[in-house]
Amino acid sequence: MSVVTELSAARVPVCVTGTGEWVYLAQGSGWSSLTDSAPIFLVTVLQRGAAFHSELRSRLVAVGLSPALADTFPVDSSVRLGLTWPTEVWQQAALDWLEREGGGEACLPELETLVHTGATQRIRHAARRLGRAA
């Protein structure tokens, strides 16, 4: 198993198993599933924005894996973390991601909550607009 990418400022190693499961190296406990646990550092994917998938595809090719595996990365967990994060930066990053990439229908509960609890009026309005569009 080769490290495909590193996430967050802590540079957490992320790999994909032979069965196509995305895993990360958890401190003290070995490899853990990104899908099962949705670790908090996963929100940092949102910082990379539109470049994330192309960077991930390039890294997959560099380690000898199919670039199609990039489409199976659990980005939805990153978006959900951002939408539920108690700060404007991550909420806005998640909304920007949904506006650019789509997928708001999968985050309807989080968007509905954000309509009422968003850090700013801009965020609350964007959440309402995305929720209606979904």
Side-chain angles (χ1 to χ4, degrees), residues 34-74:
L34 276 177
T35 307
D36 294 343
S37 60
I40 210 162
F41 69 81
L42 199 54
V43 75
T44 62
V45 165
L46 300 174
Q47 286 177 315
R48 296 187 181 177
F52 177 73
H53 278 106
S54 62
E55 291 171 5
L56 192 57
R57 281 185 180 85
S58 296
R59 290 290 304 142
L60 284 161
V61 169
V63 298
L65 297 171
S66 169
L69 286 168
D71 296 332
T72 67
F73 189 89

Side-chain angles (χ1 to χ4, degrees), residues 11 39 49 57 67 83 91 107 120-121 133:
R11 301 181 61 108
R57 281 185 180 85
L83 292 173
Q91 290 174 2
C107 299
T120 65
Q121 184 178 20

Side-chain angles (χ1 to χ4, degrees), residues 42-55 57 75-76 78-79 83 89-105 111 122 126 129-130 133:
L42 199 54
V43 75
T44 62
V45 165
L46 300 174
Q47 286 177 315
R48 296 187 181 177
F52 177 73
H53 278 106
S54 62
E55 291 171 5
R57 281 185 180 85
V75 172
D76 56 329
S78 301
V79 173
L83 292 173
V89 171
W90 294 118
Q91 290 174 2
Q92 189 62 57
L95 291 170
D96 291 344
W97 187 286
L98 288 174
E99 286 178 343
R100 185 179 58 253
E101 305 293 329
E105 54 281 341
L111 288 170
R122 178 179 178 211
R129 183 178 63 253
L130 285 168

